[in-house]
Amino acid sequence: MTKERLPYKRLGLELLVIFLGVSAGFLGDDYRDYLNERRQERELIRQLRNDLQLDADDILPIVRPSRLRAEVMIWLNNRAHGPRPTEDSLTSAIDTLGRDVYFTYEASAHTYSTLRASGGLSLIRDASLRDTIIYYYEDRVPVLEEFNNDAEAFELAWW
């Protein structure tokens, strides 16, 4: 009787070893996928950071001249409703307006566009970071671009 039970034990043990081997293979494959996704996530975040740095570099030359233009245009507008300014101050203000050319702002959204088209945004695990990225590119960038276009059109119309 013990000889008959022995093959069942051996068969059960072999099935258990096969099951554990296949399970370990699936776990190893899942872990490799996890590591690849984390590597892709780090690369995507690095690329997004580079895009944002390009945006910052593009918008930096716009900030000071735009602020100066706004101040001069407000000054000119206020003087139009009050006492006439001296010719020197008026010439100086107009010269200030024409000193710098307008820069056009266009966001560097290559990485975001690729992520959105490929569905790769899901690689970013941090939901808050993912939502912030989406908010910036879907909401803020269009506003910045529209503001820049409106400011340029306004100044051209003013001239």
Side-chain angles (χ1 to χ4, degrees):
M1 190 166 186
T2 59
K3 287 186 179 185
E4 289 179 22
R5 294 180 88 196
L6 198 56
Y8 293 115
K9 279 186 174 181
R10 184 174 180 164
L11 182 61
L13 185 60
E14 286 179 9
L15 286 174
L16 179 64
V17 168
I18 291 170
F19 173 77
L20 291 175
V22 170
S23 296
F26 283 133
L27 289 174
D29 191 45
D30 287 347
Y31 185 65
R32 186 188 68 224
D33 289 345
Y34 171 81
L35 291 177
N36 285 336
E37 286 177 357
R38 297 301 58 88
R39 195 172 307 119
Q40 288 175 334
E41 178 186 29
R42 284 191 302 274
E43 178 62 21
L44 291 172
I45 290 172
R46 187 190 64 74
Q47 289 173 0
L48 284 168
R49 188 178 326 132
N50 289 344
D51 284 356
L52 291 173
Q53 185 60 52
L54 286 172
D55 284 355
D57 293 345
D58 282 350
I59 209 166
L60 188 62
I62 298 172
V63 174
R64 186 175 180 282
S66 294
R67 183 176 292 136
L68 184 60
R69 276 192 181 92
E71 290 170 0
V72 169
M73 291 181 88
I74 289 169
W75 183 85
L76 285 172
N77 187 52
N78 290 341
R79 294 307 171 271
H81 300 296
R84 182 173 167 83
T86 66
E87 190 171 316
D88 287 343
S89 60
L90 190 59
T91 303
S92 174
I94 291 175
D95 285 346
T96 300
L97 283 177
R99 187 177 309 148
D100 296 313
V101 295
Y102 244 102
F103 295 91
T104 50
Y105 170 73
E106 187 174 326
S108 177
H110 175 73
T111 303
Y112 178 73
S113 300
T114 303
L115 280 176
R116 189 165 172 225
S118 69
L121 279 170
S122 62
L123 288 172
I124 299 174
R125 292 177 298 162
D126 185 346
S128 175
L129 175 61
R130 186 174 50 247
D131 292 344
T132 301
I133 291 168
I134 292 169
Y135 175 73
Y136 175 74
Y137 283 103
E138 296 292 330
D139 187 65
R140 296 291 83 204
V141 166
V143 169
L144 288 170
E145 288 174 344
E146 182 179 348
F147 176 75
N148 185 67
N149 293 336
D150 289 349
E152 186 175 16
F154 179 76
E155 183 170 335
L156 290 172
W158 187 84
W159 279 106

